[in-house]
Amino acid sequence: MQFTPEKRIERLLHLHAEGSATPADTDELYGYYLDSRYAGIVEALIDARWDQSSFEMLLTGQESEALYRRISRRLSRRQRWWTGRWVAAASVMLVLGLGGWLFWPGAGKKQRITLPVITDVAPPAASNAVLFSDNGSKQLLKSNEALVEASTVRQRGAFNTVFNPRGSQPIAVVLADGTRLWLNAESSVKYPLEFAVSERRVQVSGEAYFEVAHEEGKPFVVEIGSARVRVLGTHFNINTFDNKTKVTLLQGMVQVSNLKDSGLIMPGQSAVITERLNIAVSDTVSAVAWKSHLFNFKETPLNEILQEIGRWYDVEVVYEGRVPEVTLSGTINRNINASKVLEMLHLSSGLGFEIRDRHIIVKQNP
């Protein structure tokens, strides 16, 4: 009997329903779902086995909306889900480990699988980045700091987008002109397969580190919303988290601008772009520590520290009471379990931290 992809997907779903799927099984199923040839098969199989009434009984409207936001963020899908597809997509992500319930018919009886309570979170072992092409195809990039070569087929006007989700190792991208960039977790870059004649232009969200290849008379422009970074050849870091854009220069010289202001920054300086433009001396080591697998904080507010930790481990941060007004400094290896990082924060701040089902609970009085 021929073992078709449909039968393999059905087998993978059975393994998840039984609670016996390995990480490799999960990666394989996720890969099928990201492949446009098989995504419909995955959704159809789950649609046929998903008990929608039980789903609605288990989750309130608010919980369903929260789950929707988590799924949208994980897949980086911006389009609106149709109701039936939303249920199917929800079940896909539930079996891939976001947490929840899966109902599967067997021997005339529904089996209810309860995921275990999570009390610690390991660091990401690899990149989980996804390459989206203009033609609608998707490719899962599963490797440690994988290198994505620009397409060898040059097509004017065509773009690729690489999205690196929360809970993912950095990924390196090589553009058509030889420029190298690294994407942090929860970050993306959109770039053309062939640059224009007069300039090289890309779009970034999240955090990225650039090593721009020099091309005389052909500036490199990074768009971040309404802000622009314009260079000829240089090394710099862009961070768009925390409702602001921060450009930190390590080598060369760049021009930064928004709708109102424009200015030049030199090595060792950073420009913080909000409605205004503020240029000041900056700690370059701290700015690019993520690229060396380190957390490096210098008098950083606790809420910003925990947001970065949340992106790295793919966890949500919940405060019991008000957000503590605490600033901390220190360096921590990123490639350790979240509990160890929080233990160091506890020793420095005196606050209590608890991991509960992919949430970090911050307590005022431990």
Side-chain angles (χ1 to χ4, degrees), residues 74-325:
R74 178 67 66 88
L75 290 181
S76 185
R77 289 191 169 190
R78 303 305 180 197
Q79 66 269 35
R80 179 174 300 185
W81 300 96
W82 292 100
T83 302
R85 284 309 193 202
W86 146 236
V87 174
S91 53
V92 168
M93 296 313 294
L94 287 170
V95 300
L96 294 183
L98 272 180
W101 304 76
L102 178 67
F103 292 89
W104 196 276
K109 181 181 178 181
K110 289 179 183 175
Q111 299 176 5
R112 188 171 70 180
I113 306 300
T114 305
L115 297 180
V117 175
I118 298 172
T119 58
D120 200 358
V121 182
S127 163
N128 296 304
V130 184
L131 172 66
F132 296 91
S133 299
D134 270 0
N135 61 11
S137 66
K138 302 179 288 289
Q139 179 185 351
L140 183 63
L141 308 171
K142 292 285 294 184
S143 72
N144 250 333
E145 205 158 332
L147 180 67
V148 183
E149 296 286 357
S151 172
T152 56
V153 180
R154 302 293 178 231
Q155 182 180 353
R156 182 66 59 85
F159 288 83
N160 279 348
T161 299
V162 176
F163 173 70
N164 200 29
R166 293 166 69 93
S168 178
Q169 287 276 352
I171 188 166
V173 182
V174 176
L175 303 181
D177 64 339
T179 291
R180 296 169 61 89
L181 67 93
W182 286 259
L183 283 178
N184 203 350
E186 200 175 9
S187 304
S188 67
V189 60
K190 180 178 180 180
Y191 58 92
L193 299 187
E194 182 180 7
F195 285 113
V197 175
S198 60
E199 67 176 9
R200 298 164 289 165
R201 186 176 292 263
V202 302
Q203 299 174 14
V204 165
S205 68
E207 184 166 26
Y209 174 78
F210 284 83
E211 293 182 355
V212 177
H214 180 78
E215 286 195 23
E216 190 68 38
K218 193 171 182 177
F220 192 96
V221 179
V222 183
E223 296 182 348
I224 321 103
S226 61
R228 300 288 184 273
V229 177
R230 182 182 176 92
V231 304
L232 289 174
T234 190
H235 297 185
F236 60 96
N237 192 80
I238 294 178
N239 184 320
T240 69
F241 296 123
D242 305 318
N243 300 315
K244 62 179 181 290
T245 295
K246 183 177 182 179
V247 182
T248 305
L249 184 62
L250 285 78
Q251 179 180 315
M253 184 172 63
V254 304
Q255 181 184 41
V256 294
S257 60
N258 60 10
L259 295 176
K260 297 180 179 179
D261 300 310
S262 179
L264 293 175
I265 59 175
M266 311 297 275
Q269 291 183 326
S270 66
V272 176
I273 308 170
T274 52
E275 292 184 355
R276 301 182 60 83
L277 184 65
N278 182 36
I279 297 175
V281 175
S282 181
D283 183 349
T284 58
V285 173
S286 180
V288 298
W290 62 271
K291 188 170 168 287
S292 301
H293 307 284
L294 296 172
F295 294 113
N296 188 296
F297 306 113
K298 296 292 178 65
E299 294 298 319
T300 306
L302 178 67
N303 66 313
E304 292 185 17
I305 292 173
L306 290 176
Q307 287 171 18
E308 184 170 346
I309 289 171
R311 288 189 291 269
W312 178 244
Y313 292 99
D314 190 14
V315 296
E316 301 294 333
V317 179
V318 178
Y319 295 91
E320 290 188 351
R322 62 179 178 81
V323 178
E325 296 182 2

Side-chain angles (χ1 to χ4, degrees), residues 6 13 38-50 85 88:
E6 183 172 354
L13 289 170
Y38 305 117
I41 296 175
V42 177
E43 292 178 347
L45 284 170
I46 293 180
D47 263 339
R49 292 161 174 81
W50 181 262
R85 284 309 193 202

